[in-house]
Amino acid sequence: MALHVPKAPGFAQMMKEGARHFSGLEEAVYRNIGACKEFTKTVRTAYGPNGMNKMVINHIEKLFVTSDAGTIIRELDVEHPAAKLMVLAAEMMEQEVGDGTNFVIILCGALLEGAEELLRMGLTPSEISEGFELALDKALEILPSLVVDKVEDIRNESQVMKALRTSIMSKQYGQEDFISQLIGKACISVLPEGGSFNVDNVRVCKILGSGLYGSSVVQGMVFKRQVEGDITKKNKAKVVVYTCAVDIMQTETKGTVLIKNADELKNFSRGEESMLESQIKAIADAGADVVVGGAKFGDMALHYLNKYGLMGVRLTSKWDLRRLCKAVGATALPRMTAPTKEEMGYADVVCVDEVGDTDVVVFRLEGKESKVATIVVRGATNNYMDDIERAIDDGVNTFKGISKDGRLVAGAGATEIELARQLTSFGDTRPGLEQYAVKKFAVALEGFAKILAENTGIKANELVSKLYAAHEEGQKTAGFDINAEVASTCDAVAGNILDLYLTKMWGMKYAANAACTILKVDQIIMAKRAGGPKPPSQRPGADNDED
């Protein structure tokens, strides 16, 4: 008879065998804080214009070389539940503002680091959380007084560029003026009258070759492919879009045709041909110049497209079809029927162009207001162009932020130091234990200037003391001069280093909320994982033979 081994009394008795349970400060809180600190260390070196790149190979073995925290955390499959809370806060920041993911993770990590010191001093997690929430409210109260500029006219390219520069600078230092000019031009051209700006309306097409300065903005859409058929250019074209294949229609059910002699075979195929010809003739008679198909173009269909002078373009992605419909104002048709006037779109030029040695099809709208703009990015490697695309994505999201709220605050660590200075003096006025947490919030904010200095290779403590001295004298916009050889300050507004007000506001909110949530966890209960052992990884090139 099998011997029954009793389980240990307490919590383990209730749970299934294999479940794990951690509780108390040592096991749960300090463990969580330790994991979050390690995670913060990973991305803090990527902060700022001189931030280092990370090489990330994701679960499908795709290589990323980037300093964009949003991409790094998305591609790292974070397992730890507390670190996952930071990732979720950063992802919310990405959705809300589109930039500042690194700001959230670094601030959250710094707050937890400060909280750990306070916990060891004897404060309770709830007292620290209260202090952090109090400091956050005070910081959000101070922040509007630190606004130094505002984008009044969102259609003014020079004003918009001023706001975009800093978010581009942190990804592509040295090329920020050119990239922000491209983004400003593209965003302003697709900004609807009175409506809200849609980020999806600015597309990126990456073509190998040349250099970044060969990049340009096209009003309309650009696709990396060749046309179907012989016709390669149409001016003032009417565009008809089909989601189906441009070919002989397949019957819904399978049928069998019994053919007894050659004449019957000839007549059968002639019937198919004449039916297809009549369909394409009807499309041509409706006034269409360009036929866009969502699936393959048959050889017979191509013959008739050439015969009736129609240009054929095949797009394999249904998203591209939708965007093209939006750009040219067409309606996507599910069957090959003759379109009405309302269902056809219009493009000033549809042509095949050659960019470098890559053939592209361009749908260009030369009118003043285009629904979609495409930034054609040139570069030497795919990784480099991917990184430019990420910078453009941040810039376009910053433009969306400006369209909601055009207020700007000083960059280069100036706003954080000023907030830290005022929060420290606010902490001194508090009678309770929360004053320690308020001061730790201030220390966490001053950490941004330190990180900028460390990533540039300059003594951080010397810089922070100089910044505090400048701010005490009333220079509220004094920030870190990144181009100096030694620790020195500069006027961030005079240097055109401006951050979006929304980025700072939402960043502090999400970071403080995530830090408080992690602090309030006092037990970790992990159920036993379902299923058996994991299957062996099928890496390409690995010898997976058991023998």
Side-chain angles (χ1 to χ4, degrees), residues 362-374:
V362 182
F363 287 79
R364 191 178 276 115
L365 291 145
E366 286 158 355
K368 281 206 170 172
E369 194 176 302
S370 161
K371 293 273 175 66
V372 177
T374 303

Side-chain angles (χ1 to χ4, degrees), residues 116-131:
E116 187 178 16
E117 290 171 25
L118 297 178
L119 286 168
R120 296 196 190 280
M121 277 167 56
L123 270 75
T124 63
S126 54
E127 283 168 342
I128 297 168
S129 295
E130 267 177 46

Side-chain angles (χ1 to χ4, degrees), residues 69 99 212 329 446:
D99 193 11
L212 175 65
E446 81 178 35

Side-chain angles (χ1 to χ4, degrees), residues 10 13 44 55 72 105 117 141 181 201 207 233 273 278 351 402 421 430 438 450-451 466 472 529:
Q13 219 169 11
R44 67 185 285 172
M55 189 179 277
I72 295 165
I105 292 172
E117 290 171 25
E141 190 186 305
Q181 191 179 354
N201 289 350
I207 297 172
K233 185 168 184 179
E273 286 171 25
S278 64
C351 63
I402 300 165
R421 190 181 70 83
R430 302 301 301 174
V438 173
K450 283 183 178 176
I451 292 165
K466 281 187 179 179
E472 286 293 343
R529 283 203 161 181

Side-chain angles (χ1 to χ4, degrees), residues 106-152:
I106 291 170
L107 182 55
C108 184
L111 289 174
L112 290 171
E113 206 170 320
E116 187 178 16
E117 290 171 25
L118 297 178
L119 286 168
R120 296 196 190 280
M121 277 167 56
L123 270 75
T124 63
S126 54
E127 283 168 342
I128 297 168
S129 295
E130 267 177 46
F132 282 168
E133 280 161 9
L134 194 70
L136 174 67
D137 292 341
K138 184 66 181 173
L140 295 176
E141 190 186 305
I142 299 164
L143 195 60
S145 67
L146 302 181
V147 171
V148 292
D149 204 345
K150 188 175 183 183
V151 177
E152 300 289 348

Side-chain angles (χ1 to χ4, degrees), residues 483-496:
N483 296 317
E485 296 292 319
V486 290
S488 63
T489 64
C490 69
D491 187 346
V493 178
N496 258 348

Side-chain angles (χ1 to χ4, degrees), residues 4-9 13:
H4 173 69
V5 180
K7 285 185 182 177
Q13 219 169 11

